[in-house]
Amino acid sequence: MVSESSSAPEGDNTALALKILVAGGFGAGKTTLVGAVSEIRPLRTEELLSQAGTGVDDTGGVDQKSTTTVAMDFGRITIRCGLSLYLFGTPGQDRFWFLWDELSQGALGAVVLADTRRLGDCFPAVDYFEHRRIPFVVAVNCFAGARTYGAHEVSCALDLERGTPVVLCDARDRDSGKEVLVRLVEYAGRMHTARLLDSVG
């Protein structure tokens, strides 16, 4: 979590910037979500899928995908006056997972994007955040033509820890993406407060 003091006149609230990760499987919509909600021009590190990646990158179910993130995406959104979120989108393929440890340093929490056509692809992200006790929400990106599942069904399929939020969203829609981020901030805040109380209890 990163905080920064505002240079605003006396009486104004101190600005708070929170670091959020956006993770999930290959083609789940991470770059799309960051781009949809960011109020600045998002930083993208996308490269065209090449012949060399054939057999390495599983494009089953996402056949129209032509690019992939090779480092990270970055964007920023102001949730309310004095509170901004810095969004770091992680690369989805396992050969780039060495970047995750660096990106997760100081993060308040994470959004794990799930594609019900390839639900198993988000298991590594779920395991990663559970093992590191980083609060996260699962955001089910509702792709056109994909079978619709309820939040409880997804939670059971992913064997999530009790209380982990599952929300349905459209990663292309700014309001939908913003609602996911608000849910995450609220949930992560409760989790961090509970852990703080446990540590002094």
Side-chain angles (χ1 to χ4, degrees):
M1 179 167 54
V2 180
S3 63
E4 52 185 23
S5 296
S6 171
S7 57
E10 187 176 348
D12 285 359
N13 292 330
T14 299
L16 180 64
L18 304 175
K19 182 179 183 180
I20 301 296
L21 297 188
V22 180
F26 178 66
K30 301 178 294 295
T31 297
T32 300
L33 177 66
V34 173
V37 302
S38 181
E39 61 199 15
I40 62 173
R41 182 178 179 180
L43 168 69
R44 293 185 170 133
T45 58
E46 287 194 303
E47 295 292 340
L48 290 172
L49 292 172
S50 66
Q51 192 66 32
T54 303
V56 178
D57 296 325
D58 178 12
T59 58
V62 289
D63 309 83
Q64 302 303 312
K65 186 170 175 60
S66 61
T67 61
T68 185
T69 298
V70 296
M72 68 173 188
D73 300 309
F74 174 77
R76 185 191 72 209
I77 179 174
T78 301
I79 295 296
R80 58 172 171 75
C81 182
L83 175 60
S84 296
L85 304 182
Y86 290 164
L87 308 175
F88 291 81
T90 66
Q93 300 98 309
D94 54 5
R95 66 181 183 276
F96 296 123
W97 285 346
F98 68 92
L99 294 169
W100 286 35
D101 287 338
E102 291 295 328
L103 291 174
S104 66
Q105 291 294 319
L108 173 79
V111 173
V112 175
L113 270 173
D115 177 354
T116 58
R117 300 170 301 179
R118 299 161 51 107
L119 192 60
D121 287 3
C122 69
F123 273 112
V126 169
D127 288 342
Y128 183 91
F129 297 123
E130 283 185 345
H131 289 145
R132 287 160 182 78
R133 302 187 71 221
I134 297 174
F136 67 94
V137 301
V138 173
V140 180
N141 194 5
C142 299
F143 288 92
R147 182 177 171 183
T148 302
Y149 295 90
H152 180 70
E153 291 175 288
V154 172
S155 180
C156 291
L158 293 176
D159 193 26
L160 297 177
E161 294 180 357
R162 185 174 181 180
T164 303
V166 176
V167 293
L168 307 183
C169 75
D170 181 344
R172 303 166 299 177
D173 182 77
R174 187 175 194 274
D175 289 339
S176 181
K178 185 175 180 179
E179 178 60 29
V180 170
L181 294 170
V182 169
R183 287 285 302 275
L184 171 62
V185 171
E186 292 173 346
Y187 174 65
R190 292 195 302 270
M191 292 294 291
H192 285 292
T193 298
R195 289 172 186 171
L196 180 61
L197 292 174
D198 284 345
S199 69
V200 297

